[in-house]
């Protein structure tokens, strides 16, 4: 998939970068990156390039009054301007002209070096080109690998009543070039280990672009259902702790012949997550209607997480004190406030859990006996896991 302006912001390829003007041009494709510390030759920037600059002297309106129009007419994809050194903020005339012409303007924070910007974006551009060239071959290899494994288990899965179920997991890293290669590899290995431990059978195929397809077989459907929320939380932890985000599409495989359809379904799931601008998340094909509704609610109520003061208190307390109160509350609510079940899941004594819950209630004032309070907190946690950084 080609790199677009919006991908830099949505996937936080460059941490802290914001799209501040020319929003209608957010889908402009970036073919290369051109760094120009001093804007002395804007006419030299080629079609499809992203111009990166310090904004030196950009406050001089008379010198650069036609800058945006020139770049737009030359087919440049957008401009990324660093603030904090030569200019404190991007001048209003630049923003106004960019909005008028639909020419995207990215604001770069002071702490990002041009070397890092070039490295990350050019790696992503080259990876996108390779991905497009290899996509058909990679898809065939991925399908064939999973098909051969599934064929070995087809009798007990589809022709005998054993209760066993098979699911296809499609795990797509969406900002792996924003972290080191070692971090990306470590995180994917952590996912592989997690799924291997939780499933009865786990086979996987990893493509060159980092996308990994898993064939997971569970003894029962309930065993699958009991792990899926935990897996979503695991991805949130990787995102918060390591800075890498994943989309995961899931579909139950109903027959050997339907494997190809399942691959189409998991791709639909990841495309849906992308369309609702999720930062990360898990979407099963059976739950796509809910995820669509969830995305619409997010667009209409973008401050859902920050408005929930109780959740903010717990998040801040965890960050400062290195506690896991948010995780505890997640599991407790997911288990329908069944203390015994949550204690077993967390490998702690029921009395220990009770004391932890009392501390949570003291901190944020949530009333677990109030159905609507529980529902509000559950929805806020989902918004945090899918959309918050």
């Amino acid at each position: 998939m080609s790199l677009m302006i919006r991908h830099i912001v949505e996937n936080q390829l460059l941490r802290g970068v914001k799209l501040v003007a020319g929003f209608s041009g957010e889908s402009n494709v970036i073919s290369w990156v051109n760094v120009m510390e001093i804007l002395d030759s804007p006419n030299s920037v080629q079609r499809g390039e992203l111009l990166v600059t310090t904004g030196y002297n950009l406050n001089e309106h008379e010198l650069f009054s036609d800058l945006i129009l020139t770049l737009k007419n030359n087919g440049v994809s957008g401009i990324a301007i660093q603030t904090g050194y030569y200019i404190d903020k991007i001048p209003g005339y630049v923003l106004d002209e960019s909005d008028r012409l639909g020419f995207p303007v990215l604001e770069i924070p002071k702490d990002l070096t041009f070397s890092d910007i070039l490295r990350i974006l050019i790696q992503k551009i080259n990876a996108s080109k390779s991905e497009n060239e290899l996509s058909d071959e990679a898809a065939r290899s991925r399908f064939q690998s999973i098909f051969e494994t599934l064929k070995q288990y087809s009798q007990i899965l589809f022709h005998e009543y054993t209760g066993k179920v098979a699911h296809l997991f499609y795990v797509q890293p969406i900002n792996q070039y924003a972290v080191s290669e070692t971090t990306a590899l470590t995180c994917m290995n952590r996912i592989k280990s997690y799924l291997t431990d939780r499933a009865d059978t786990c086979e996987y195929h990893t493509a060159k672009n980092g996308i990994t397809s898993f064939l997971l077989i569970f003894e029962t459907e309930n065993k699958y259902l009991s792990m899926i929320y935990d897996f979503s939380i695991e991805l949130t932890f990787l995102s918060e702790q390591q800075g890498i985000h994943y989309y995961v599409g899931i579909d139950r495989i109903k027959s050997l012949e339907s494997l190809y359809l399942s691959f189409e379904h998991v791709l639909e799931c990841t495309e849906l997550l992308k369309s609702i601008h999720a930062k990360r998340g898990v979407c099963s094909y059976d739950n796509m209607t809910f995820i669509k509704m969830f995305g619409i609610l997010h667009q209409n109520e973008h401050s859902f997480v920050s408005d929930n003061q109780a959740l903010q208190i717990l998040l801040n307390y965890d960050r400062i004190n290195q506690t896991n109160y948010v995780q505890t509350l997640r599991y407790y609510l997911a288990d329908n406030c069944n203390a015994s079940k949550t204690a077993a899941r967390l490998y702690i004594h029921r009395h220990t859990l009770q004391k932890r819950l009392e501390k949570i209630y003291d901190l944020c004032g949530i009333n677990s006996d109030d159905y609507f309070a529980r529902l509000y907190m559950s929805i806020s946690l989902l918004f945090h896991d899918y959309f918050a950084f």
Side-chain angles (χ1 to χ4, degrees):
M1 180 178 62
S2 299
L3 177 64
M4 301 179 186
I5 294 289
R6 63 181 177 84
H7 294 152
I8 297 175
V9 180
E10 289 175 3
N11 300 335
Q12 280 294 284
L13 297 179
L14 306 173
R15 187 172 292 277
V17 168
K18 298 181 289 187
L19 181 62
V20 294
F23 299 94
S24 61
E26 66 175 7
S27 294
N28 288 355
V29 173
I30 302 170
S31 61
W32 198 247
V33 183
N34 189 324
V35 173
M36 192 176 294
E37 185 172 357
I38 299 174
L39 290 165
D40 51 358
S41 55
N43 260 314
S44 67
V45 188
Q46 301 296 306
R47 176 177 294 277
E49 292 183 344
L50 172 67
L51 174 60
V52 179
T53 179
T54 61
Y56 180 78
N57 272 348
L58 201 57
N59 286 323
E60 301 294 332
H61 186 185
E62 292 184 0
L63 288 176
F64 298 105
S65 59
D66 61 347
L67 171 67
I68 301 301
L69 180 61
T70 298
L71 296 175
K72 173 74 174 182
N73 288 340
N74 287 350
V76 176
S77 293
I79 185 170
I81 303 171
Q82 189 170 49
T83 55
Y85 283 108
Y86 297 113
I87 57 173
D88 293 326
K89 62 180 182 179
I90 300 173
Y93 78 89
V94 173
L95 301 178
D96 291 343
E97 184 72 351
S98 297
D99 280 333
R100 185 181 72 83
L101 297 173
F103 184 78
V105 178
L106 295 167
E107 182 177 354
I108 307 171
K110 181 180 179 180
D111 58 351
L112 271 179
T113 67
F114 282 10
S115 175
D116 285 340
I117 293 169
L118 279 171
R119 175 181 59 81
I120 291 169
L121 293 185
I122 290 176
Q123 278 184 351
K124 184 63 176 175
I125 290 167
N126 288 336
S128 297
K129 291 177 180 177
S130 298
E131 181 179 332
N132 290 335
E133 292 169 359
L134 297 173
S135 58
D136 290 342
E137 178 185 344
R140 285 194 296 270
S141 176
R142 186 163 54 238
F143 176 84
Q144 194 61 37
S145 173
I146 298 297
F147 179 84
E148 292 300 328
T149 303
L150 183 64
K151 192 175 180 181
Q152 299 174 26
Y153 295 94
S154 62
Q155 183 66 30
I156 60 172
L157 284 169
F158 311 127
H159 303 295
E160 298 176 1
Y161 184 73
T162 62
K164 293 181 181 290
V165 294
H167 286 79
L168 179 67
F169 279 47
Y170 184 81
V171 181
Q172 177 184 8
I174 56 177
N175 71 329
Q176 65 175 336
Y177 299 105
V179 300
S180 69
E181 185 176 349
T182 299
T183 297
L185 182 60
T186 299
C187 290
M188 181 53 72
N189 285 339
R190 184 168 160 181
I191 290 173
K192 291 175 180 176
S193 296
Y194 182 90
L195 293 177
T196 299
D197 288 342
R198 300 300 293 270
D200 295 284
T201 300
C202 176
E203 298 287 341
Y204 52 83
H205 178 278
T206 302
K208 292 182 179 179
N209 56 12
I211 293 175
T212 304
S213 301
F214 291 85
L215 170 64
L216 300 175
I217 298 176
F218 299 88
E219 285 292 335
T220 64
E221 182 71 5
N222 282 338
K223 190 170 181 182
Y224 156 74
L225 292 173
S226 69
M227 65 77 67
I228 194 62
Y229 184 62
D230 295 2
F231 180 55
S232 179
I233 294 173
E234 182 75 10
L235 294 183
T236 301
F237 288 162
L238 286 178
S239 177
E240 293 175 340
Q241 297 166 3
Q242 304 295 334
I244 188 165
H245 314 313
Y246 295 94
Y247 287 157
V248 181
I250 302 172
D251 189 39
R252 179 173 175 178
I253 306 171
K254 298 178 180 177
S255 69
L256 186 62
E257 294 74 24
S258 69
L259 178 61
Y260 184 80
L261 182 61
S262 288
F263 268 103
E264 290 187 343
H265 286 172
V266 295
L267 289 173
E268 287 182 47
C269 291
T270 56
E271 286 300 316
L272 175 58
L273 290 168
K274 185 188 306 179
S275 72
I276 66 172
H277 305 302
K279 299 298 184 295
R280 57 193 165 249
V282 176
C283 175
S284 79
Y285 188 75
D286 290 338
N287 293 330
M288 284 187 69
T289 301
F290 171 76
I291 298 296
K292 287 177 184 176
M293 180 191 71
F294 197 54
I296 293 170
L297 185 58
H298 169 66
Q299 293 171 8
N300 293 337
E301 194 61 62
H302 59 82
S303 60
F304 210 104
V305 175
S306 59
D307 282 349
N308 189 326
Q309 294 303 307
L311 177 56
Q312 287 300 314
I313 289 170
L314 288 180
L315 288 168
N316 291 332
Y317 190 89
D318 277 351
R319 290 190 191 103
I320 294 170
N321 297 282
Q322 301 299 306
T323 50
N324 293 307
Y325 288 150
V326 172
Q327 178 189 12
T328 299
L329 187 59
R330 271 194 189 102
Y331 287 140
Y332 187 59
L333 293 171
D335 292 332
N336 294 316
C337 299
N338 184 320
S340 298
K341 188 174 181 180
T342 303
R345 188 202 291 257
L346 293 172
Y347 302 102
I348 59 176
H349 195 277
R350 193 173 185 277
H351 294 305
T352 303
L353 173 65
Q354 198 59 47
K355 289 181 180 179
R356 193 180 294 181
L357 291 172
E358 289 172 3
K359 177 66 174 180
I360 291 171
Y361 301 152
D362 289 342
L363 283 170
C364 65
I366 181 176
N367 181 1
S368 65
D369 294 327
D370 184 335
Y371 167 76
F372 290 103
R374 298 197 308 270
L375 183 62
Y376 178 43
M377 183 61 79
S378 296
I379 293 174
S380 297
L381 282 165
L382 277 175
F383 271 95
H384 173 269
D385 291 346
Y386 276 78
F387 297 110
F389 283 112

